[in-house]
Amino acid sequence: MKKGIIGKKIGMTQIFDEKGKVIPVTVIEAGPCVVTQKKTLENDGYEAVQVGFGDQKPQRVSKPLTGHFKKGDVAPKKTLRELRLDDISALNVGDLIKADTFEAGERVDVTGRSKGKGYAGVIKRWNFRRLKETHGSGPVARHGGSIGSCSDPSRVYPGKKMAGHLGSERVTVQNLQVVKVDAENNLIAVKGAIPGPNGGIVVVRDSVKA
């Protein structure tokens, strides 16, 4: 990773290019982010920078984090993420990372958390087919059916497709095009949709496929 930034998904809209063609975009409030910690090979065994996004009231920060922010002489932040950059020599604690770190035309990967959909059955969660209801399938038309385990091995194998929690997972959408950057308002518009609800935290970084 050469560069990255933390942001917040604002929502979707559309903009027009030079030829008048409509481009669907997702608007991200990207930064400003502050470097809160710098990790080095000597001290931590790897190189990375810890970045904070979104101001937080001091009374809502735990004592350990309060000391952490005081050590770096930075204001408390709501969200902290580590960015493992290829070169961190140019970054120091207290430096700002803004939306203009990216330019229109670049390709980026966006990581966020998908919407939580609660408890779901196998049809909604795994796209199972339902049973026919014309010949007495009764009340089990949307059930998962047999899971194949009897007295041996007397357990359910991990990863078995069954009903359960759906959504709220870490999702990365790759190779999205940056359509527009508004550095004054800390906004980045990327073509297409990104994971998560409006207001959700996302990490934008240069694409591995670029």
Side-chain angles (χ1 to χ4, degrees), residues 13-18 21-25 177 179 190-192:
T13 184
Q14 58 185 25
I15 61 178
F16 298 88
D17 62 10
E18 297 81 3
K21 184 178 179 181
V22 173
I23 303 176
V25 298
Q177 181 183 0
V179 179
V190 297
K191 185 178 180 180

Side-chain angles (χ1 to χ4, degrees), residues 137-148:
S137 59
V140 296
R142 292 179 64 90
H143 286 202
S146 173
I147 59 174

Side-chain angles (χ1 to χ4, degrees), residues 50 61-72 80:
Q50 186 188 75
V61 181
S62 65
K63 287 185 178 180
L65 274 180
T66 299
H68 178 66
F69 290 127
K70 283 185 177 179
K71 183 178 180 181
L80 295 176

